[in-house]
Amino acid sequence: MNNLIEQFGSYENAKQKYGERPFDLAWSDIGQALLEYRREHNIFEVNDWVWHKETLSRIIEINKNGYAYGESELFDVTTIFLKDTVHATDEEIKAGRRL
């Protein structure tokens, strides 16, 4: 999947291009590649599902200071606090619990 991102030259370029047509089904592979890249590189974006400590939450906003607002709490996704926040896997999201 990373080679899909490489075709655009960078994660940011791929994200920009994907953002221009997010509902086009032909672009679903690049959307999945972007998610996998974020999971691999500890990059957090709005709508990502994460584990913050032991709570599963979807990020609804990230402010300029790196604080993410989850559906039920505020947490820091800057590099200092990444040990407390990790991406949830697809299987964990479906199950609603850590696997």
Side-chain angles (χ1 to χ4, degrees):
M1 288 285 188
N2 280 343
N3 54 353
L4 283 175
I5 292 172
E6 290 169 6
Q7 290 176 18
F8 291 98
S10 71
Y11 172 82
E12 288 301 322
N13 288 344
K15 180 179 151 185
Q16 180 181 356
K17 290 293 184 187
Y18 180 72
E20 293 170 2
R21 297 169 48 174
F23 301 108
D24 186 337
L25 293 178
W27 286 74
S28 61
D29 285 346
I30 192 67
Q32 186 63 36
L34 289 167
L35 175 59
E36 288 179 21
Y37 186 90
R38 288 195 304 276
R39 286 174 172 166
E40 183 180 331
H41 294 92
N42 291 325
I43 297 170
F44 299 93
E45 300 278 353
V46 170
N47 290 322
D48 285 351
W49 284 92
V50 298
W51 288 104
H52 178 68
K53 299 184 180 175
E54 293 302 316
T55 302
L56 179 64
S57 187
R58 185 177 58 88
I59 296 175
I60 57 173
E61 180 183 344
I62 299 176
N63 71 21
K64 64 181 179 183
N65 296 319
Y67 287 93
Y69 296 86
E71 293 177 315
S72 60
E73 63 181 313
L74 166 71
F75 47 91
D76 189 340
V77 294
T78 59
T79 55
I80 296 171
F81 296 98
L82 282 179
K83 66 179 175 21
D84 292 333
T85 306
V86 296
H87 280 276
T89 66
D90 292 339
E91 294 81 14
E92 290 172 330
I93 295 165
K94 286 178 188 173
R97 62 182 174 83
R98 282 250 172 143
L99 299 175

